[in-house]
Amino acid sequence: MFKGRWRTTGGALLRVIIVWAVSTLTMLALAGILPDFKLQSDNQDSITRTAITAAWGAGAFGLLSALVWPLLVRALLLVPALVLGLLVFFLNGSLLLIALRLIPNGRGAANPETAVVVAAVMSAVASATSTALAVGDDDAYRRRLSRLADRRRRRSGEDGGRGGPPGTVFLQLDGVGHQVLLEAVAAGVMPHVAGWLGVRPPDPDGGRGTADDAARVSPGDPADSAPGGQRPTHRLTPWRTDWSSQTGASQLGILHGSNHDVPAFRWYEKDTGRIMVSNRPASAAELQRRAIARTNDGGLLTLDGASRGNLFSGGADQLALVLSIAARRGRANRSRAGYFAYFSDPANAVRTVVSFVADVGREIGESTRARIRGDRPRVGRGGLYPFIRAFATVVERDVVVTAVIGDMLAGRTAVYADLVAYDEVAHHSGPHSRDAERVLARLDRSVGLIARAAEHAPRTYRIVLLSDHGQSPGETFEGAYGLTLKDLVRAGCGLPVSRRAERTKSGAEAREAARHAVRGALHRPEPEGADEKPAHGSDPVVLASGNLALISFPDVPERMSREQIDRRHPALLRTLASHPGIGFLLVRSEEHGSVVLGPGGTEVPVDALDDSGPLAGMGPGAADAVRRTDSFPHVADIMVNSMYDPATGRVHAFEEQIGSHGGLGGEQSRAFLLSPLVLSAPVPDSGELVGAERVHAVLRRWLREGSGPQVPLGTVSVPVANTRSDEARTAEEERDSA
């Protein structure tokens, strides 16, 4: 025992010495390169004296970083995340200036600008060296993770043993559709996920797996019959979203079991006079409150759960970067408090900020090349977008992944985390673009990192990947027709529009139709007591949610009927339904109940609706999705779904997005669920998983299964997590015996 303890202590001391030596050499090199950074006195010290000075400086900087940096970050928790990211450099530089002052005889000096550069380089080099040493020593890495887990459990008063029930980690890959995942797996873009599915990697000679390889893997495939001869450890199940195929509706249903009365990403509520937007803190908090009141249940994560990077809490008591609590008062409840665990490590902070800057440059370069090539479709990617993208693809990803690893080391029972990087990039670059593909590759590495960390957690973990929706490509409505949907609506109502919209064919036709309709209405016999002419009322509120749009007339307290709309704006519904960029409309009718209107005067009562007619090509279950939304209290006066071309899979977003989601049509409505085979099948072989609320029921069932004995299903004889832990223990025993 004493021999092992001495070996452990000696190994740790050796790693400290190596990191110190590398930091010293880095400081010496920077002193030789940067003219404003010196480590010598005015009398030109010897090489030995200069090296000792560098060692002093490196040691002092490392000690200050370890002791002072966490306190600085905690003091700055109330600073906005983007500002904190920029302060990282300056705070690190300040620590270096202090370290230089601690060198005897004042031999170290640097101006503030140079100190920022030197501190950033030294932190990055020290982090890389420590990581390399840990990777090369499995025992050291395991001990480090174990120490972190013990420290977290002592701080929280929790106790978790490897022999206890397994925990579950749900990783949401935001916006990654079922087809996109299959293609990425087949192309070798996501090797960790491919390994779980038993899909062979691409052939170095040019051959590669196909999407069909991933799609046809079934839990019963023996190892020699699975693609590439690998035994799958996970099953891939597609699931179909609701009409509102977006994160607000899907994640609310998944985490809280109800997304009732969420007709879109944003909508107008007549009873309160406010616009609800799913990614606003106040709206997210209200939606969560409504879901809890409807289900009388706190959510999926109420039992020892953690919610990371989500719109909603899911009832978890451990929260970080959760939007629905972001508006609460108090530092502990603010969503940005989750950044502390990550930025308390200065090396993490510097690495993330450097990656942030690199991703901003990458986006600027990619968008510039797209303009030069004349890529179509294309949307503007200037302004603040490069910084917003970098925040999603770097900062949010790094912080959430670190938080999830911390949750596993703390032994939490259930963790749900959202990685939004792909969704953000695909909106502006396209869901099948090379840019989006590179983001998928980085997400796959994050999944692999979490899987490796799970091997060192105090309990086994089952990792479930899922998405909330997909994305459908296509040119924007404005790009295709030269005017926005709002312009078209205003023209159809006879209201003023911009000159640019007036000059378009659609705008001119809509305004002309409105004028003819009004003239006809003035001479048309009206029922007794009716207005002498159509009333204009207030301007309509037009809100876009991807390729779904909602039109409301705020001066009418109830949901307007088709007849009311026709009396007020005789040309509006006909103009919208006949436009080539619009697939169908949903409106209420006094005569037939709600109806769906399509091109050519098509009109189908909702009760008689099926997946043909106006909904042809929109996908299976489209009629049921429309009927369900029609029953919501806050459904808009006019619900507008864009056209969908089944041959190309394209839609028209009513926003500035060439990859969009929010309505019906194409890949946006088909998400995925990737689960370990040790868990029961999400649905029977002949069944279909439909709607976020049913996904919630599946995830809740899996959490219940975790509290009982784990019986492997199908032909897989050992649970995935147990297999990994057994392999790790076997390797450790072999090293000890050697």
Side-chain angles (χ1 to χ4, degrees), residues 513-635:
R515 282 194 291 268
H516 282 300
V518 170
R519 285 196 296 268
L522 289 173
H523 296 90
R524 185 175 57 202
E526 294 287 349
E528 185 177 352
D531 293 337
E532 293 185 4
K533 61 180 180 179
H536 285 292
S538 63
D539 288 357
V541 175
V542 183
L543 299 173
S545 297
N547 77 317
L548 176 68
L550 292 82
I551 304 169
S552 299
F553 296 91
D555 61 316
V556 179
E558 73 279 357
R559 181 183 178 187
M560 287 188 73
S561 68
R562 175 186 180 178
E563 291 77 7
Q564 288 175 299
I565 296 171
D566 282 341
R567 285 194 293 269
R568 175 180 286 196
H569 304 296
L572 178 59
L573 293 177
R574 185 169 65 253
T575 296
L576 294 176
S578 62
H579 193 280
I582 292 176
F584 67 90
L585 312 176
L586 171 67
V587 294
R588 183 177 70 85
S589 170
E590 296 171 4
E591 182 179 357
H592 304 292
S594 295
V595 296
V596 166
L597 307 179
T602 304
E603 178 179 338
V604 181
V606 165
D607 291 341
L609 196 64
D610 58 26
D611 294 337
S612 62
L615 302 186
M618 293 292 177
D624 290 335
V626 170
R627 267 190 290 270
R628 180 173 184 264
T629 301
D630 181 61
S631 68
F632 291 168
H634 289 112
V635 64

Side-chain angles (χ1 to χ4, degrees), residues 478 482-492 497-498 500-501 507 510:
E478 183 178 11
L483 80 171
T484 65
L485 180 67
K486 183 176 181 180
D487 288 331
L488 183 63
V489 170
R490 290 182 63 84
V497 297
S498 65
R500 178 173 178 268

Side-chain angles (χ1 to χ4, degrees), residues 309-386:
N310 299 311
L311 294 181
F312 310 104
S313 73
D317 56 357
Q318 297 294 326
L319 304 167
L321 317 185
V322 175
L323 194 70
S324 63
I325 68 160
R328 294 182 187 175
R329 298 292 181 184
R331 186 174 68 179
N333 288 331
R334 298 181 71 88
S335 64
R336 64 178 64 99
Y339 290 99
F340 172 75
Y342 186 81
F343 284 107
S344 60
D345 183 341
N348 282 348
V350 170
R351 183 170 57 250
T352 294
V353 172
V354 169
S355 298
F356 178 92
V357 173
D359 205 72
V360 169
R362 184 180 299 114
E363 165 56 27
I364 293 173
E366 288 289 341
S367 61
T368 301
R369 284 190 288 272
R371 286 196 304 271
I372 294 173
R373 292 192 303 263
D375 291 352
R376 293 293 178 194
R378 189 177 73 245
V379 294
R381 292 159 62 176
L384 291 176
Y385 171 69

Side-chain angles (χ1 to χ4, degrees), residues 174-176 279 359 363 379 381 384-393 396 419-430 435-436 439 443 469 471 656-659 661:
D174 205 300
V176 180
N279 65 352
D359 205 72
E363 165 56 27
V379 294
R381 292 159 62 176
L384 291 176
Y385 171 69
F387 299 94
I388 295 172
R389 167 198 157 126
F391 183 82
T393 59
E396 196 269 352
L419 298 172
V420 302
Y422 171 85
D423 192 60
E424 182 61 46
V425 173
H427 278 315
H428 295 80
S429 301
D435 207 9
V439 174
L443 288 177
H469 54 79
Q471 286 203 20
E656 280 293 294
Q657 299 172 349
I658 59 174
H661 56 90

Side-chain angles (χ1 to χ4, degrees), residues 377-379 474-481 651-658:
R378 189 177 73 245
V379 294
E475 191 171 11
T476 66
F477 185 86
E478 183 178 11
Y481 303 104
V651 300
H652 289 317
F654 300 117
E655 303 179 82
E656 280 293 294
Q657 299 172 349
I658 59 174

